[in-house]
Every structure is written in structure tokens, then in C-alpha cells.
Amino acid sequence: MTISEMPTALGSSPSNENRAGLANRNSFGVVGSGHRISARFSGLTINNIDTLTAWPELNPAVIRLWDTRTRWMNIEPRQGRWNFERVDTYTKLALDHGADVIMTLGQPPAWAAGQSRARCAYGVGCTPPSNLDFWRNYVRTLVEHSHDSIRYWEIWNEPAQREFWSGSPEKMAALTNAACEEIRSIDPNVSIISPSITLGGIDFFRHYFQSVDKSCIDIVSIHYYINNNNNKDGFDKPSIRFLKRVKELMRKVGLSDRPIWNTEFGVACSAGKNGCMSPSTEQIEAGRLSLFRYLFIMAAENVQSASYYFWERRPPATPFAMTRDHRLRLSKNAAIYKKIMNMLQEAVITQAYEKNGVYVVCIQKRTKRYAAIWSGSSNASLSIPEKWNYHSYINLLDGNSLIPSHSSLEIPGNSLVIAQN
């Protein structure tokens, strides 16, 4: 089973890049001849850029401004009083390292927010603006200031979550349309990213997409956190199922030609009675295994950019940290993460399928060929196709080689095997 054909390159203009998604034609088990992963596949959120003494070793192609003290409430704390210092700091550092920037709009300051009893994640900011002109002026002023350095504008963060948006889908659509008018009037060549679709947000976005001007949506955003807490269905199937639900929604509302970007993903913490608790060795193992596999799942499902949240995150908020030594060097797990990202970025996914609980994603990058192989649950056996001709099979988690027996390969349950020529 192969995946349907995609363009061999993504151009810089929205007309090329943003219509190359063909989201519904690319996934596990769909017949075709391969799709190329974007040069912007490797994304990252950096919460505290002022604490960095060096650019992250993950070398992201995209950084997302969220939880970076760059919300509307930070930029215009008082009406007409603007503070672009952090926005400018982030964009300069990103441009100096060849990275694109996603600016996530929204979260109005108290003076611009409508009256509401909503419990907002940041005290205020989840209510619709009391006056649409306040929103228009904020978007227009920010885009005028930053459009030369910010090429991607995400309308809002997770509006189906009440702590981020207390209004209706229709009101969010009205904000999108107004922002679109302001952004396009300043720079028609930048890209507009939809508000982010979350796991429980399909119904919200069904109403949203019915009301929004679809020409304003260049890229569809999703957010997904892998949750290994009491998950009897494993972590592969739920993530694939969510992506297929998003694609089906996009098909129904006429957006199936738009690319999908996952602008925020990660691994949920180990849940205890009083919140996150320190992860056990078993939970750390499950967390890293699920994260590494999810990168291949996103690539197979034609997600064109994936921004990990976030560079500085440490246990117990997540099973493992990306950094060590005061955030200067990659942790062992982050080094594996980077290796996978380097393998996938600008590669072609030639084949992706699941059979008898074994997942296979085949990758071509220039002259190198790879296959990522794993079992969705316990140990399993893979019948090796005659045309593969891979020379080595290595468990990426521990570096140990696996030796095929005749035409089959035994796949340990807690492994991620990389075959290569």
C-alpha cells in the first residue's frame, strides 16, 4: 500500500505551498506513489528565549510564538501603548538562524475583553473582544510592524477549549474574517493558519468552518498530545484516528486541498491525584517511544509541519526533557528525536501501512532509503518484502542490530526499528 502523489517541492508562496496539502489522499493504507515532507517539518516552541545562550541544537525550521509573553495582552497592555520588544527578539533570533515564525494571535487584554464569567487560562484573554475594531487595530498594527519577519499568522490558540475561548464558533469565524482582511491588505503573500483543532474540538470546528470565509484559510492547524494514561488502545491508533477525523472534516467543508500543520504537540504528563507526578522508568520509556513513533505517523499522514511544545519543558510536566546542562545540550532522547526529524525533513514518504499490528513507513531521502517499523502492542513478526533490500535493521532506542531470519523480522514490542540501505 502506498501513498498518493504529492508535488516534489513546496514553493515559498501561498499559492504553491498552501494548496499542496491534499490532506485526505495521504495516510496509512491509501494507494498512490508518495508525498514529500516540507522543509518546515521540524518546529519548536521556545518559551523563554531571553534565557538562551545558544540556538537550540534541534535547529528548528519553524518556531511558534505562544506562551512566549507575546499575546495581545502583552503587546498592547493599555490601549494604544505598544510593546514589540519580545516579538522583535524572537523574530530576529529566528531569522538569524534561518527559521520561519508562526505568530499566534489572540488573548485580548482586560481593557479590550468583553464581560464574561469565563475562567480563562491566563486570568483574562479568553473572551471575545468587546469591539471588533479593537481586534482589527491590534492585528493591523502587529502585521504592519512584523510582516517582513513573520510569514505565518495563526488566528487563535485552541478555541474549542473554554479556557482559551468562551465565545461561539461563529464569533471565532468573524474574528478570522476580520483578521484576514487586515492581514491581506498589508501583505497578501503571507500565510494564514486556522485556529488550532484539538481532540474534542471537531464539532466546534464544523460550525466554525461553515461560517468562515474559506479563502482566508491557507493552512489547517491541529494540536495533539499523546496520552499514555490508562490508554487501553495504545498510542498509535488514537493519533491516526484523530488525523483521519480532521481530514474527513476538511473534506466535508471543502478544505481537503489545504496542508495540515501540527502547531503544538507533545506527550502528556503522568497523571496523579494532584496533577502531574514524577514519571516512572516505564512511563519515561512509553513517553519517548510514543513520541518518536508519532513523528513517523505525522509524516505518513502528510502533516507538513510539527512544532514540539516546548524546548524547556521538563518532568513532571512531561516524561522526559529535551535538554540537559541548563538547556544547552540535547538529552539522549532529544538526540534521537533530532535524528528522526533530520531523516524526515524534505524526504519522500513512499509507502505507509499497518498490517497485523505492525506499522511500516518507508522513506526516500536523496540516495538513502529507510523504513521505520514497529509493533503497536507486543512482539510481532514482519514478513520482509522481496524488493526491500535493506542492509541493516537497528532498534533506534538502544542502537542494537536485529538480524532477519530468512524472510521475516521479529519486532520487539517496545522498539522502533529503522531499516536502511
Side-chain angles (χ1 to χ4, degrees):
M1 303 178 194
T2 55
I3 302 175
S4 59
E5 185 171 3
M6 283 290 296
T8 57
L10 295 176
S12 58
S13 68
S15 59
N16 289 333
E17 178 180 32
N18 299 340
R19 298 298 182 261
L22 301 177
N24 289 286
R25 294 173 55 196
N26 302 277
S27 59
F28 281 98
V30 178
V31 175
S33 58
H35 63 266
R36 183 177 293 274
I37 298 302
S38 168
R40 298 174 182 86
F41 187 64
S42 175
L44 183 66
T45 296
I46 308 166
N47 277 177
N48 297 298
I49 202 163
D50 43 6
T51 67
L52 292 182
T53 58
W55 184 247
E57 281 189 54
L58 288 181
N59 196 28
V62 178
I63 64 167
R64 178 180 182 242
L65 302 195
W66 176 252
D67 283 341
T68 47
R69 301 199 297 279
T70 54
R71 306 181 194 98
W72 183 2
M73 64 179 73
N74 305 119
I75 293 171
E76 193 186 11
R78 296 181 181 179
Q79 189 170 12
R81 300 285 297 273
W82 300 92
N83 182 359
F84 297 112
E85 182 179 355
R86 285 188 67 80
V87 174
D88 293 344
T89 300
Y90 271 98
T91 54
K92 182 181 185 305
L93 189 61
L95 292 176
D96 286 348
H97 291 86
D100 283 312
V101 176
I102 300 170
M103 179 71 196
T104 306
L105 300 170
Q107 305 299 298
W111 66 262
Q115 296 297 315
S116 173
R117 295 181 180 179
R119 300 181 65 179
C120 303
Y122 306 105
V124 296
C126 64
T127 57
S130 58
N131 187 321
L132 190 61
D133 286 340
F134 294 161
W135 167 255
R136 284 183 174 275
N137 185 61
Y138 151 67
V139 173
R140 181 170 58 252
T141 304
L142 178 56
V143 176
E144 285 176 342
H145 179 82
S146 300
H147 73 94
D148 286 336
S149 54
I150 299 177
R151 310 304 297 166
Y152 298 94
W153 298 87
E154 186 176 34
I155 297 298
W156 204 276
N157 180 74
E158 300 182 5
Q161 308 293 111
R162 295 292 291 178
E163 64 267 29
F164 296 120
W165 175 253
S166 63
S168 66
E170 291 76 16
K171 285 187 177 180
M172 178 53 61
L175 287 192
T176 302
N177 293 341
C180 176
E181 290 177 7
E182 300 297 337
I183 294 169
R184 296 273 195 251
S185 70
I186 297 165
D187 192 340
N189 294 315
V190 298
S191 298
I192 297 175
I193 304 176
S194 77
S196 40
I197 305 173
T198 47
L199 190 59
I202 297 294
D203 190 59
F204 179 99
F205 274 89
R206 184 176 294 109
H207 293 284
Y208 166 82
F209 285 131
Q210 289 171 351
S211 301
V212 77
D213 179 351
K214 295 178 186 61
S215 68
C216 290
I217 305 298
D218 298 315
I219 297 167
V220 172
S221 169
I222 64 169
H223 287 179
Y224 187 81
Y225 279 82
I226 302 157
N227 190 341
N228 292 315
N229 295 298
N230 301 316
N231 190 348
K232 296 179 181 179
D233 202 16
F235 45 74
D236 302 306
K237 289 182 179 179
S239 63
I240 296 172
R241 191 158 51 236
F242 172 62
L243 281 164
K244 290 188 182 300
R245 290 184 67 200
V246 170
K247 291 178 182 181
E248 178 62 14
L249 173 62
M250 291 169 64
R251 185 190 66 79
K252 287 181 177 179
V253 300
L255 290 172
S256 60
D257 64 337
R258 305 308 200 267
I260 297 172
W261 284 26
N262 190 339
T263 60
E264 184 178 321
F265 76 98
V267 183
C269 70
S270 304
K273 291 182 179 180
N274 299 313
C276 296
M277 63 181 186
S278 296
S280 65
T281 301
E282 182 179 324
Q283 289 164 332
I284 294 172
E285 184 68 18
R288 71 174 191 149
L289 184 61
S290 58
L291 181 68
F292 300 155
R293 291 177 180 179
Y294 185 53
L295 297 178
F296 288 104
I297 288 171
M298 285 191 287
E301 293 286 344
N302 201 17
V303 173
Q304 286 291 313
S305 184
S307 292
Y308 180 81
Y309 183 90
F310 56 95
W311 175 241
E312 303 93 337
R313 201 175 197 191
R314 310 187 76 80
T318 189
F320 63 89
M322 282 289 187
T323 63
R324 57 181 177 174
D325 299 342
H326 304 288
R327 302 170 184 166
L328 292 181
R329 294 196 297 164
L330 295 180
S331 66
K332 179 180 178 181
N333 289 321
I336 297 174
Y337 178 99
K338 182 179 180 180
K339 183 180 293 186
I340 295 171
M341 277 294 190
N342 289 342
M343 185 186 305
L344 291 172
Q345 196 154 291
E346 296 188 273
V348 174
I349 305 301
T350 59
Q351 194 175 41
Y353 62 90
E354 181 269 330
K355 184 177 181 181
N356 299 326
V358 176
Y359 293 80
V360 177
V361 179
C362 297
I363 303 142
Q364 176 90 37
K365 187 164 185 179
R366 293 184 284 275
T367 60
K368 296 293 294 182
R369 292 186 300 108
Y370 307 92
I373 311 160
W374 69 90
S375 168
S377 53
S378 57
N379 297 356
S381 180
L382 171 71
S383 179
I384 300 174
E386 291 182 6
K387 295 181 180 180
W388 267 18
N389 295 321
Y390 291 118
H391 299 311
S392 66
Y393 296 83
I394 298 173
N395 183 354
L396 198 59
L397 302 186
D398 58 20
N400 290 332
S401 296
L402 282 72
I403 308 299
S405 175
H406 302 294
S407 60
S408 66
L409 181 70
E410 297 303 310
I411 310 296
N414 294 321
S415 68
L416 175 57
V417 178
I418 302 297
Q420 59 185 21
N421 65 349

